[in-house]
Amino acid sequence: MTSGIPQRTPTAPGAPLVSHAVNRYVRWLGSQRDTLGTAIVVIAVLLAWQFFGGYLPKYIFPTIPLAIEKFEQIITLKGTYVAIGQTLVRILGGFAVSASFGIAFGILMAMSTQFNFIARPLIRLIMGVPALTWVLLGVIWFKNMELRVWFFMFIVTFPITALNTYDGVRAVPFELYQMTRSLRPTTAGLLRFLIIPAATPFIFSGLRLSLSFSGRIAVFAEAIAAGTGIGAEMMLTNQLFDVAGLIGWTFILIVVLSLMDGALEVLERRWFRWRREMKD
Amino acid sequence: MITVVEVSSVRKDYGSGLDGNPFTAVKDVSFSVGEGEVVCICGKTGCGKSTLVNMLLGLDPPSAGSIRIDGLSPSADFFAMRGKLAAVFQTDRLLPWRTVIDNAAIGLEVANVPKDERYARARVWLSKVGLSGWEKAYPHQLSGGMRQRVAISRAFVTDPKVILLDEAFGHLDEVTAHKLRQDCMALITESRTAAIVVTHNITEALELGTRVLVLGKPARVISSHELVELRRLPDWAIKRDQVRSEIFRTIDSESFG
């Protein structure tokens, strides 16, 4: 005879383990949300691309297989690697010069009221001038193609590094400043022991932004003011109405820029181990 | 007793305060500290203790009067004073990107002491404060008390003539603060360093000091209490309570005066 009390289903011995595994799966899914979102967007773009490629003329909108075929052609050409090398040298060279100058400029701005008085309006003025004006001025002012590209990259990216450095130095906690000053370092020592390490997270975010700009700007300048490099190759595809080629070169540029950003991220992780551990 | 710190008629005026009017933060402070002596400076919040600390550290020159530490002016002889005066602040003020040993040794690094020597000296002081084995840790991996111990070893590592404790135990829980006070005092006694302890905690001042100076507002010495002889008396506990009440009354009357 069974009582009126509802019988509880006995829990299977493996049940807690199963629910634990489900929880872990749900948590994993949650942590993969960004990846999932990216995958959905990429698939949607590819589908749309294939769809429009089927209806529009191939010289305006090539299909995915055609773009891949063109990309394969591009990467088998020796000249492609020469163009990538030229662009890389320009980006890294221009970035190095602009970053060094920008960091020094930002530190000076933060540490000298007199310098800041002149520097801030100057930076505001430089940033206010349209990028195209700088390219055209570069073409007029410099005969040498490399100088044109470097000038353009420098003038557009150094204010980013300078302003981030300035903010970083200004954000150094007063308590740490007072403690370090009480140890009586020279100005160089103060920069070495406190100011630069404390401002480095700000400087780094400025550098990453500046590197990303450098890549885009170098290609833009190559297209307009130089005859070599990825930018010039892209310009050529435009003149030949070769959209598949343009997509191929764009993909190469994305890979190059992503690799550079990845390298900077690796450096950032290594240098800011203490910061990452703090967050954990 | 050799006098290590000589503060004579020190005054600090500022051009404009919060209300925009000129004001005097430190009116007239004079005192001296001998070798091995622990002078506690007590006063209410906002009485000018921090200004006095900044002047003692040489970060802010006095408007009038003079401060001499081991015969030198902390502000005028700024670099010559390197290593002679050390401070432990209310918060540990460790540099988060430096390991424990690099934080402890920073005073020696500023003085360009070779790496091996500065690490060896820092290890000695870290061991004295009970942090052997934690040399490679980062500050965020330590508790508040441990971080303050690193700050104490950072102060002692340069073998200073004078150590300045600015509310050094104020943010810790009572048990940790008591233990740390005792350990710090043992190190001060062992190293025969002159110490200036700035605190708003009267009990702490009576526990640590050989002398307690009470500051009014604006900062000037309104009473001084010698404790060495009193401590030797069998009824020290009663005497201590009397001195505490006296200090309390002095500060309280000053507030309404």
Side-chain angles (χ1 to χ4, degrees), chain A residues 36 38 49 92 188 193:
Chain A
L36 204 68
T38 310
W49 182 355
L92 293 176
F193 294 117

Side-chain angles (χ1 to χ4, degrees), chain A residues 46-78:
Chain A
L46 289 175
L47 285 173
W49 182 355
Q50 189 59 27
F51 176 78
F52 286 113
Y55 286 95
L56 293 167
K58 286 187 174 56
Y59 64 90
I60 293 177
F61 212 99
T63 55
I64 295 174
L66 194 66
I68 291 172
E69 193 185 321
K70 187 72 190 181
F71 177 71
E72 280 171 358
Q73 272 177 23
I74 292 172
I75 57 167
T76 50
L77 293 173
K78 193 182 164 194

